Amino acid sequence: MRGHGLPVAIVHACLRGGGADGRGHGGSPTAVLDDVALSDAERRRIPTLSGTSHAVFVSVREERTHEPAVSLRFFTAEGELPACGHGTVAALAFLAERAEGDERAVRAEGDEYRATLHTAGRVFAGRATRRATHVDATFDAGRIGLRAATAGECDLVLPALGIAPDAVAADIRVGSPGRSRLLVPVAGRSALAALDPDPERLRAACDRLGFLGCCVYSVPTPTGRMAARVFAPSIGVPEDIANANSTACLAAHLADRGFTEIAVEMGDSLGSPATITAGTSGTSIHLGGAARVTRTVRLPPG
């Protein structure tokens, strides 16, 4: 691989809060690095070499406006993604950490870093506020498409998930922040924890339907708290620790039921608890998560 000794920050994104010190724990390990001249094949190797599921490539451009413009590209071992929510949280934490002590860095309200983020086909605002032990990041989730799932889609996917039709707690929807995924509600956390999908069968079903994967979630409490598991075999991620774009889909769906704020807990089945928050205001959805840059590694030559 070109770029011998390439520095890569490992950022734990969407930490689970709690504890007297407020540090949070768990989160989804994500590789974040400055964009360099690499082929797409080399970019796909970064997650594997870094021991993460995703990698984010960051390019900061000089702009005449008061906020930096930042281009983000997201990769898994399978290829490039048009968007990645927890990767965006990780990138914002990386940028905020690096801006500390830089007199040129944009600041507002004391410790807040702001940037205009550019991804494939979308430009949106991102913010990151430094705390004593982590960074709180928020960004605009963009437009979310929602529709009812068809009987044919359910007939293909539910058996692969190991969910009987009578175990579904409410209507199944298809959510799309760019790539579609099935949103499947189950009655409670115990049913969610017991899921044991067939990975190959699920991937075949998702590939056939053009889905990224499936988000299975528990019925929310009155305060909007719930648990979810996201299976994304079609992008090479059998189960995701934290999937913010699926959280945005849930927020859009549940807004019709009166929920303006939700908190979704993921990652427990993988031993790395994560929490993603989402708030809705009109047609706007903002996603949030806590993150911490834990270390920097240098990739070996390849």
Side-chain angles (χ1 to χ4, degrees):
M1 176 180 292
R2 297 190 298 272
H4 169 51
L6 192 66
V8 177
I10 306 301
V11 183
H12 283 238
C14 304
L15 302 167
R16 177 74 56 82
D21 60 4
R23 287 179 57 87
H25 60 289
S28 181
T30 307
V32 185
L33 63 158
D34 287 307
D35 206 351
V36 292
L38 296 174
S39 68
D40 283 2
E42 289 171 322
R43 293 174 192 272
R44 290 196 300 270
R45 292 183 59 201
I46 298 292
T48 301
L49 291 172
S50 303
T52 64
S53 60
H54 296 68
V56 188
F57 296 83
V58 175
S59 177
V60 180
R61 305 199 304 266
E62 294 293 333
E63 293 287 323
R64 295 180 180 177
T65 62
H66 67 287
E67 293 182 359
V70 180
S71 293
L72 303 177
R73 294 183 69 184
F74 309 100
F75 280 80
T76 68
E78 293 284 322
E80 187 167 9
L81 305 176
C84 175
H86 81 267
T88 302
V89 169
L92 284 166
F94 170 83
L95 290 163
E97 288 280 351
R98 191 163 65 180
E100 183 71 9
D102 185 348
E103 293 181 356
R104 298 172 301 168
V106 176
R107 294 287 173 174
E109 301 175 12
D111 254 0
E112 187 173 67
Y113 172 89
R114 298 188 182 194
T116 301
L117 305 177
H118 297 246
T119 61
R122 199 162 82 85
V123 179
F124 55 100
R127 300 181 180 185
T129 303
R130 285 181 55 84
R131 308 298 184 191
T133 60
H134 63 275
V135 172
D136 287 328
T138 61
F139 64 95
D140 175 9
R143 182 180 294 275
I144 304 296
L146 281 174
R147 65 171 175 83
T150 68
E153 289 168 337
C154 296
D155 289 345
L156 271 177
V157 174
L158 290 183
L161 286 170
I163 298 176
D166 60 2
V168 176
D171 293 339
I172 299 175
R173 307 295 299 276
V174 176
S176 177
R179 288 196 64 177
S180 296
R181 76 267 340 258
L182 208 64
L183 309 176
V184 183
V186 293
R189 291 176 181 248
S190 59
L192 186 67
L195 283 181
D196 185 20
D198 181 328
E200 294 304 320
R201 187 177 182 185
L202 183 58
R203 174 158 194 165
C206 289
D207 286 351
R208 178 175 173 181
L209 296 169
F211 289 165
L212 172 146
C214 305
C215 173
V216 186
Y217 65 98
S218 63
V219 172
T221 69
T223 61
R225 199 159 199 90
M226 70 192 80
R229 294 176 67 184
V230 177
F231 307 99
S234 292
I235 60 170
V237 181
E239 183 171 354
D240 213 352
I241 291 172
N243 193 294
N245 284 335
S246 292
T247 300
C249 293
L250 292 175
H253 170 48
L254 294 170
D256 292 339
R257 302 185 181 185
F259 291 93
T260 58
E261 302 281 342
I262 65 170
V264 182
E265 297 177 351
M266 300 183 187
D268 295 274
S269 60
L270 300 173
S272 189
T275 300
I276 307 163
T277 60
T280 57
S281 177
T283 59
S284 177
I285 298 174
H286 285 84
L287 289 168
R292 183 184 306 116
V293 180
T294 59
R295 67 189 188 279
T296 298
V297 300
R298 287 190 175 273
L299 298 186

